[in-house]
Amino acid sequence: AVVSTQSTGKTRVQKNKERLERQKAAELAAAKADRQLQHQLTRVKAIKKELNAEERRAAEITAARREKRAVVAVRPGKYGPGKLLQEQPEFLLPEEVSSSLRKLTVPSNNTQDRFLSLQKRNMIEVRQKVNPHRKYKLKTVEKWRKKLPEEIIELTKMKTKKKKKIAVESS
């Protein structure tokens, strides 16, 4: 057996160099992982801030909605599609005003004012007046009492003729 003096293995110097290189690579990898972790941690803080801001905005919106619902719940509901027309207040001209306030008369109707007040507060429906009309035309019928005596006699004769005809046909 031939034994070579030179071994195929590495020298001590080469092994030390490789070990140092591996250590440096491991240290670089650990430093890189540490930097990435730090970046993620700082990013978590930024994300938390964004989430908190968004939650605050959502809370403000819900609070505003609750307040609006509370106001709407207290207010009476709207009945019907109609809208109340704002009427101009009636006033008297300086020539029409009497010198004494006792003689002054207010041209208003209490029931009508009360009705308008209920409509303004949406307690009753606002609607236009409907004129009465029929869906169908009335039939005109002439009563026997209104006819002349000759016409009544003719009608009775016609009825008796019809009765006789029906009796003859059925027998």
Side-chain angles (χ1 to χ4, degrees):
V2 179
V3 179
S4 68
T5 56
Q6 233 183 15
S7 66
T8 57
K10 296 177 184 176
T11 63
R12 200 180 325 158
V13 174
Q14 287 174 334
K15 286 179 185 177
N16 285 341
K17 269 187 180 178
E18 285 181 1
R19 188 169 35 85
L20 284 173
E21 284 176 8
R22 273 184 290 182
Q23 282 179 350
K24 279 185 180 180
E27 285 176 6
L28 286 173
K32 186 175 181 180
D34 192 37
R35 278 196 313 271
Q36 285 178 345
L37 185 66
Q38 288 298 323
H39 179 69
Q40 287 175 352
L41 287 175
T42 56
R43 186 75 188 119
V44 165
K45 289 178 185 176
I47 290 172
K48 272 188 177 179
K49 282 182 183 178
E50 289 174 11
L51 287 175
N52 288 339
E54 197 171 313
E55 285 175 1
R56 262 189 257 114
R57 270 188 254 119
E60 289 171 2
I61 290 170
T62 53
R65 282 183 187 159
R66 272 196 213 113
E67 288 175 15
K68 193 173 182 181
R69 280 190 197 134
V71 168
V72 169
V74 172
R75 186 175 52 191
K78 184 176 189 295
Y79 298 109
K83 288 189 177 180
L84 187 68
L85 298 174
Q86 295 293 331
E87 293 182 10
Q88 297 296 327
E90 294 181 17
F91 61 91
L92 297 172
L93 296 173
E95 303 89 44
E96 297 171 345
V97 175
S98 62
S99 59
S100 172
L101 288 175
R102 288 175 189 252
K103 294 177 185 175
L104 188 67
T105 57
V106 181
S108 66
N109 185 352
N110 286 342
T111 53
Q112 197 171 18
D113 290 343
R114 184 62 57 95
F115 188 75
L116 283 171
S117 171
L118 289 171
Q119 283 182 336
K120 282 178 191 171
R121 291 181 284 152
N122 285 327
M123 297 179 99
I124 57 173
E125 182 180 0
V126 178
R127 56 168 55 189
Q128 272 65 38
K129 287 184 179 179
V130 179
N131 294 327
H133 65 283
R134 291 196 198 292
K135 293 182 181 176
Y136 55 89
K137 188 178 178 183
L138 281 177
K139 293 180 182 178
T140 55
V141 178
E142 195 175 0
K143 295 192 175 183
W144 278 63
R145 281 179 271 169
K146 306 278 181 173
K147 291 187 183 264
L148 294 171
E150 301 89 34
E151 293 175 342
I152 295 173
I153 294 169
E154 285 178 26
L155 286 171
T156 51
K157 285 181 184 176
M158 287 174 61
K159 282 189 177 182
T160 53
K161 284 181 185 177
K162 282 184 182 177
K163 284 182 184 176
K164 285 180 184 176
K165 245 186 198 179
I166 292 170
V168 170
E169 289 174 1
S170 62
S171 60

